Amino acid sequence: MSKQVIESLRTKFGDRVDILERNERRVYVTVANEDWIPVLRHMYEVEHGRLCTATGSDRSTGVELLFHFGMDQHGTVVNIRTTLKKPFPKIESFTQHYQAADFIEREIFDFLGVEFTGHPDPRKILSSHDRPADFHAMRRDE
Amino acid sequence: MSTTIPIGPFHPVLEEPEYITLQVDGETVLDADMDLGRIHRGMELLAQEKTFDQDCFLVERICGICSASHSWATALAYEDAAGVEPTPRARYLRTIVHELERLHSHMLWVGLAGHIIGYWTVYMWGWKYREPILDALEAITGNRNNYAWYVPGGVRRDVPDEVWPPILKALDEFNDNTNLLIGAVLDDPVILGRLKGVGILTKEDAIHYGALGPVARGSGYDIDLRRDEPYGAYAECDWNVIVQEDGDLLAVSVVRLLEMLESVKIVKQCIKNLPGGEIRNEIREIPRSEGVGHVEAPRGESFHYVRTNGTNMPERHKMRAPTFVNIPTYRPRVKGETISDATVIFAIIDPCYSCTERMAAIDPTGRRIANAQDLIKLSHQKTEWLKKNL
């Protein structure tokens, strides 16, 4: 069921996408930072994926972003992954292309300190208003 | 020149502390801003300190009204990571509880919407009809809310056969009551006046904002995970996805009302075709992996992602409730509308209460002087009068 999306990503991006098919309904695609927006735009504009949400995690390799696209027409979820360098993770915002990314990018900025450049409204969203500007609750830095 | 009107963070109409600011020119809303974060409980961090069994019970506390949805999505995520399928009997039992939850959640919203537009009859009716569904959930799971029903691999306990006949009877009555309510609501000039043509969300905006559930389907955005990525027993049941094209508050209300009839159909089929056998494929350990589980909650998709590291606790558990995605759709809906409609437009994404109400008309000595049928008759007479005189 994921075959069509996998073929489409391979045709468009070739070796620049590392695709792991965990099962027929769940696909994980790893991309470099510079291919982040082109791949996300392809998922939304060409494959008509719906951005369910995104997961940000502080891992030993850096801050990992995982954008989950629900492919409702295929009954699958395609997850796009990239890793950002610490201590100041930064990447272009997807919100200017797809409004659904607005709140979740603000949440990842709030909890993990990822700067989404070009975000139209880069405010924190969930943590308390008196929180210090440089405190991000899910960062594991010493 | 515009004026700023704050709503919240604590306000009688809002079910949770949210802060909305409206920019208005006279009576017309020019723009709106939503400020969240006053009830953040750190669930994602808490989940990392729970075993995967405990995690399913923790996530029920996200929301008392759609607790089954979060719990089921979490169980699906762990099953995805472990590569384990639930047993056939568990799939049916899971579906029954999930659809009963949709019934009580939608009926709660019907009552709440009546309350917000000042239509107390609808509020009383809706919450009265909701009660037998909560009783049914209590009979099946032991709890009216927060059922502790879903565990990775299946469900927590089996249900004896004698539980089902009274539930089937209650469902028949619920079906009749819902039909009555649908007829009354869609025939009422006051309700139509408040909802029709108000707060329109176009299909293009619904897609661009990633709207979910009845909010999306009310705008013609035809998505429903129960059909699109079938889980549980949905693929084995005969039911329809309800979609309306108009995008106004009435369209979303109609979707919720008609969906209840579909849910009744699903529950009855599941009870009729309930397979025997085990209720759980036990998962002893989950390898280093990751999994996604998502289900169609009453308000739209509940999405859960877990990453496991070979221990019995998740390394990361991401949770996303549908309201998080539906809140931004308020902005395109409310622009250009009047201040008096701002609250009901916000309520269309479905606020979340946990409470019960019952209805009876009594005289000062406590003697019942009117039953439900008498009040329905009075209500019809009032509607006829309104139609003639408005």
Side-chain angles (χ1 to χ4, degrees), chain A residues 52-139:
Chain A
C52 302
T53 192
T55 304
S57 327
D58 189 355
R59 307 192 72 177
S60 56
T61 47
V63 173
E64 180 189 282
L65 296 183
L66 189 60
F67 273 43
H68 311 277
F69 283 89
M71 313 304 293
D72 295 317
Q73 67 277 40
H74 305 299
T76 62
V77 177
V78 177
N79 308 278
I80 313 292
R81 189 193 320 264
T82 197
T83 303
L84 310 176
K85 279 189 185 149
K86 288 199 282 189
F88 302 110
K90 185 174 172 180
I91 198 156
E92 189 182 338
S93 168
F94 186 40
T95 305
Q96 48 206 324
H97 305 290
Y98 188 8
Q99 188 64 36
D102 179 9
F103 271 27
I104 191 59
E105 285 191 344
R106 284 176 60 189
E107 184 185 307
I108 293 172
F109 159 68
D110 194 352
F111 289 145
L112 287 152
V114 175
E115 182 188 345
F116 290 96
T117 55
H119 192 290
D121 186 17
R123 290 177 290 162
K124 63 193 184 66
I125 189 167
L126 289 178
S127 65
S128 67
H129 284 235
D130 54 359
R131 183 213 69 182
D134 60 347
F135 174 74
H136 305 290
M138 297 191 82
R139 281 289 283 270

Side-chain angles (χ1 to χ4, degrees), chain A residues 20 22-23 25-26 28 44 50-57 59 64 66 68 70 72-77 79 81 95 97-100 103-104 106-107 111-112 121 123 125-129 137-138 140, chain B residues 33-38 40 44-45 48 80 204 207-212 221 223-225 228-231 288-294 301 303 305-307 315-320 324-325 327-328 331:
Chain A
L20 170 66
R22 285 199 186 273
N23 56 53
R25 284 183 167 185
R26 302 288 182 257
Y28 294 80
Y44 173 51
R50 172 176 56 78
L51 182 63
C52 302
T53 192
T55 304
S57 327
R59 307 192 72 177
E64 180 189 282
L66 189 60
H68 311 277
D72 295 317
Q73 67 277 40
H74 305 299
T76 62
V77 177
N79 308 278
R81 189 193 320 264
T95 305
H97 305 290
Y98 188 8
Q99 188 64 36
F103 271 27
I104 191 59
R106 284 176 60 189
E107 184 185 307
F111 289 145
L112 287 152
D121 186 17
R123 290 177 290 162
I125 189 167
L126 289 178
S127 65
S128 67
H129 284 235
M138 297 191 82
R140 293 176 175 174
Chain B
D33 182 45
M34 290 76 69
D35 189 13
L36 315 179
R38 286 170 174 79
H40 181 62
E44 291 183 16
L45 271 177
Q48 293 173 21
D80 186 31
E204 290 70 32
I207 294 171
H208 199 49
Y209 279 80
L212 297 170
Y221 184 18
I223 51 169
D224 192 322
L225 281 174
D228 300 334
E229 192 188 313
Y231 53 97
R288 180 180 290 277
S289 185
E290 52 196 335
V292 166
H294 56 162
E301 175 201 49
F303 189 98
Y305 161 81
V306 296
R307 189 171 60 242
E315 190 175 284
R316 181 81 172 90
H317 182 171
K318 172 67 194 166
M319 324 162 176
R320 199 270 291 132
F324 188 79
V325 179
I327 284 177
R331 205 168 166 209

Side-chain angles (χ1 to χ4, degrees), chain B residues 26-339:
Chain B
E27 282 293 308
T28 307
V29 177
L30 302 175
D31 205 351
D33 182 45
M34 290 76 69
D35 189 13
L36 315 179
R38 286 170 174 79
I39 198 167
H40 181 62
R41 291 159 290 167
M43 284 274 187
E44 291 183 16
L45 271 177
L46 272 176
Q48 293 173 21
E49 297 166 8
K50 305 288 178 197
T51 65
F52 56 82
D53 270 338
Q54 294 169 333
D55 198 7
C56 286
F57 304 144
L58 170 74
V59 296
E60 290 189 319
R61 275 73 190 168
I62 293 173
C63 171
I65 304 304
C66 48
S67 54
S69 310
H70 289 292
S71 193
W72 195 357
T74 300
L76 286 174
Y78 282 118
E79 286 159 14
D80 186 31
V84 172
E85 290 286 326
T87 63
R89 185 171 175 83
R91 287 194 293 109
Y92 275 71
L93 289 172
R94 286 173 164 193
T95 308
I96 290 168
V97 169
H98 197 221
E99 288 309 306
L100 287 173
E101 177 178 85
R102 191 180 319 280
L103 288 177
H104 91 70
S105 176
H106 280 5
M107 200 49 103
L108 178 137
W109 178 83
V110 168
L112 211 53
H115 161 65
I116 289 168
I117 63 174
Y119 207 128
W120 285 84
T121 313
V122 171
Y123 168 65
M124 298 291 184
W125 278 12
W127 285 33
K128 178 193 172 191
Y129 298 154
R130 177 174 172 257
E131 275 297 294
I133 302 301
L134 293 175
D135 292 341
L137 283 163
E138 187 175 10
I140 297 169
T141 68
N143 288 324
R144 289 158 63 86
N145 292 109
N146 287 2
Y147 321 102
W149 186 241
Y150 300 84
V151 289
V155 295
R156 178 174 52 85
R157 72 173 190 181
D158 208 347
V159 182
D161 289 341
E162 58 266 29
V163 165
W164 302 119
I167 291 176
L168 285 168
K169 185 168 172 284
L171 283 171
D172 284 337
E173 287 171 4
F174 183 89
N175 206 53
D176 293 345
N177 291 333
T178 306
N179 272 319
L180 182 79
L181 194 60
I182 291 171
V185 167
L186 301 185
D187 197 34
D188 192 300
V190 176
I191 293 178
L192 294 181
R194 289 300 307 269
L195 302 181
K196 195 167 173 54
V198 177
I200 292 172
L201 180 73
T202 63
K203 184 176 178 182
E204 290 70 32
D205 275 344
I207 294 171
H208 199 49
Y209 279 80
L212 297 170
V215 174
R217 293 193 285 275
S219 293
Y221 184 18
D222 186 3
I223 51 169
D224 192 322
L225 281 174
R226 294 174 293 171
R227 175 201 60 201
D228 300 334
E229 192 188 313
Y231 53 97
Y234 292 113
E236 291 137 66
C237 296
D238 177 29
W239 62 284
N240 298 307
V241 177
I242 307 295
V243 180
Q244 296 282 308
E245 301 293 335
D246 292 346
D248 57 4
L249 304 189
L250 182 65
V252 182
S253 308
V254 169
V255 168
R256 286 209 176 93
L257 288 165
L258 297 181
E259 267 185 9
M260 288 195 282
L261 301 178
E262 298 301 318
S263 293
V264 170
K265 273 165 61 179
I266 294 170
V267 177
K268 287 171 82 170
Q269 289 174 71
C270 284
I271 294 175
K272 187 179 165 204
N273 301 322
L274 183 64
E278 295 294 320
I279 57 164
R280 185 177 186 188
N281 277 330
E282 196 164 357
I283 300 174
R284 301 297 298 175
E285 54 186 49
I286 299 178
R288 180 180 290 277
S289 185
E290 52 196 335
V292 166
H294 56 162
V295 301
E296 189 71 22
R299 292 162 188 77
E301 175 201 49
S302 278
F303 189 98
H304 288 249
Y305 161 81
V306 296
R307 189 171 60 242
T308 53
N309 57 8
T311 68
N312 60 352
M313 291 180 183
E315 190 175 284
R316 181 81 172 90
H317 182 171
K318 172 67 194 166
M319 324 162 176
R320 199 270 291 132
T323 302
F324 188 79
V325 179
N326 281 335
I327 284 177
T329 63
Y330 179 61
R331 205 168 166 209
R333 268 194 200 282
V334 80
K335 280 185 188 177
E337 300 292 348
T338 61
I339 299 169

Side-chain angles (χ1 to χ4, degrees), chain B residues 1-5 22-26 30:
Chain B
M1 184 180 156
S2 72
T3 308
T4 303
I5 295 185
L22 300 177
Q23 297 294 329
V24 300
D25 180 13
L30 302 175

